[in-house]
Amino acid sequence: MKSICNKAKFGTAGFPVNFFADKAGGGKNRDNIFVWLQNKGLNALELQCTYGIKMKDDQAVKYRKLAEEYGIYLSIHAPYYISLASKNKEVVERSKQEVVKGFKLAGLLDATRIIFHPGGGYGKGEAERKAGLQQLIDALNEVGKQLDTSRIRIYPEIGGKVNQLGSLDEIIEICKQVKYARPCLDLAHLHARENGSLKSKESIVKALKKVETELGRTALEETHFHMYPVSYGAGGEQAHKTFAERIETSQINLFESDDRYYPRAEDYIAAIKELKLSPVTICEAHNTQDVGAMLMKEFWEHGI
């Protein structure tokens, strides 16, 4: 029987700066990313289609074969401009087509997870926000009728800005009403939009238990994670940080002594271990996605 450590997956969002800087193992040839990640001890890659799904079919098939060869789990991040809650019907229709294109690419890559931002476009006010959320849900259910959702799932991601759709409650509601949806918990976004809510293992466990209570154990086990530290302000997320960065002394609260940015890698790993999860974890630490992913994997395998 394989240990739980062998089931967990840690990887990067896109192609790290360190990959391009590595002339021997990475460099200009993006096809090298798979062996490069394997050599780092990592086993996941989230392909960033954030500015459009433009990958050619033959390239997708090539990536699938390389991912299989080097044991790299693939997921896709759909375009930022998807806006299923928009008041503009043309924007909604184009967004639906992007979802369709995402499913086609996922099939070619043999990827089973498509992450997307619920976004905005619904207008101002609580009533409009709720209407926009329901419109998004209805649009996903409508477009799902023309998709093969037996293997591929769509993952609405927690939004980093307070004025965006994508609170934890909203992500849960989408997953309740859309059978082929699962949560993407960007814990940095959650921390930022909730004014610094994830400063301990216990706070992360609380958020994960809410998913389990509302959606069930299977949904929690299939949850996709984005994990890295972040700075934030009144409106939510400001900037991605590295796990090694420290807050300037002048910016630390009088009652706090810790100068690190949150959420912390050790708190996250302790939380998923406590709940006996072995998830896919994608690191989006600023220009150090690989370093952050390796740090979390080290904590996972060898303790904190």
Side-chain angles (χ1 to χ4, degrees):
M1 180 181 292
K2 292 183 178 179
S3 71
I4 190 171
C5 294
N6 290 329
K7 295 178 181 178
K9 297 174 177 63
F10 296 89
T12 65
F15 296 74
V17 169
N18 290 334
F19 167 74
F20 293 112
D22 186 351
K23 302 304 180 183
K28 295 181 179 180
N29 188 349
R30 289 175 179 256
D31 293 352
N32 291 337
I33 187 65
F34 302 96
V35 64
W36 188 84
L37 288 171
Q38 186 192 63
N39 288 338
K40 297 288 183 182
L42 300 175
N43 53 4
L45 172 64
E46 190 158 294
L47 293 168
Q48 304 293 285
C49 300
T50 49
Y51 297 103
I53 297 174
K54 303 172 183 178
M55 189 180 295
K56 294 181 179 179
D57 290 2
D58 58 346
Q59 185 66 43
V61 171
K62 185 177 185 180
Y63 274 13
R64 183 188 72 220
K65 292 178 179 178
L66 287 168
E68 290 173 353
E69 180 178 354
Y70 293 104
I72 306 300
Y73 181 91
L74 291 177
S75 55
I76 300 170
H77 197 302
Y80 289 139
Y81 52 76
I82 286 178
S83 185
L84 295 169
S86 174
K87 289 185 176 182
N88 186 321
K89 292 183 179 180
E90 292 183 2
V91 170
V92 173
E93 289 305 313
R94 287 198 298 269
S95 297
K96 289 179 184 177
Q97 291 309 306
E98 289 299 319
V99 173
V100 172
K101 288 165 64 176
F103 266 72
K104 178 186 176 185
L105 178 59
L108 292 169
L109 289 165
D110 195 28
T112 58
R113 299 182 177 195
I114 302 170
I115 291 80
F116 83 106
H117 289 178
Y122 49 84
K124 298 180 179 180
E126 190 61 28
E128 287 185 300
R129 187 184 186 101
K130 288 182 178 179
L133 179 65
Q134 191 58 53
Q135 177 180 301
L136 181 152
I137 290 167
D138 292 343
L140 286 177
N141 281 327
E142 182 180 343
V143 75
K145 295 175 183 177
Q146 58 184 294
L147 301 171
D148 180 2
T149 59
S150 59
R151 288 187 67 251
I152 302 171
R153 301 282 186 260
I154 195 154
Y155 280 74
E157 176 184 340
I158 289 180
K161 301 289 187 181
V162 175
N163 62 0
Q164 295 174 330
L165 286 176
S167 68
L168 179 56
D169 285 337
E170 287 167 339
I171 297 302
I172 288 172
E173 188 60 30
I174 293 170
C175 294
K176 280 183 177 180
Q177 295 195 46
V178 180
K179 289 184 178 180
Y180 67 101
R182 299 291 184 272
C184 173
L185 298 190
D186 187 310
L187 296 178
H189 284 173
L190 182 60
H191 176 73
R193 74 180 293 137
E194 292 185 348
N195 194 33
S197 63
L198 302 183
K199 290 188 175 182
S200 66
K201 177 202 74 172
E202 290 75 18
S203 59
I204 296 174
V205 167
K206 181 179 178 182
L208 302 191
K209 283 188 174 179
K210 183 171 186 176
V211 171
E212 183 173 20
T213 298
E214 297 286 341
L215 298 175
R217 178 70 189 185
T218 298
L220 178 61
E221 291 177 347
E222 294 179 357
T223 293
H224 190 84
F225 289 91
H226 288 171
M227 177 59 195
Y228 54 98
V230 68
S231 62
Y232 65 91
E237 175 191 22
Q238 291 179 332
H240 292 208
K241 298 293 182 178
T242 76
F243 284 113
E245 281 185 88
R246 294 294 181 262
I247 303 170
E248 292 183 13
T249 304
S250 61
Q251 296 177 322
I252 299 175
N253 186 292
L254 179 63
F255 301 101
E256 294 179 339
S257 59
D258 199 324
D259 63 352
R260 289 177 290 180
Y261 287 97
Y262 292 85
R264 302 187 305 179
E266 57 265 42
D267 291 340
Y268 168 65
I269 296 301
I272 62 174
K273 281 191 171 184
E274 180 173 316
L275 295 180
K276 295 180 171 56
L277 299 174
S278 53
V280 178
T281 304
I282 298 297
C283 184
E284 293 186 351
H286 179 62
N287 287 341
T288 55
Q289 304 99 305
D290 52 319
V291 177
M294 287 189 290
L295 176 67
M296 288 186 281
K297 184 171 181 283
E298 176 70 16
F299 287 155
W300 174 258
E301 292 181 341
H302 302 293
I304 298 164

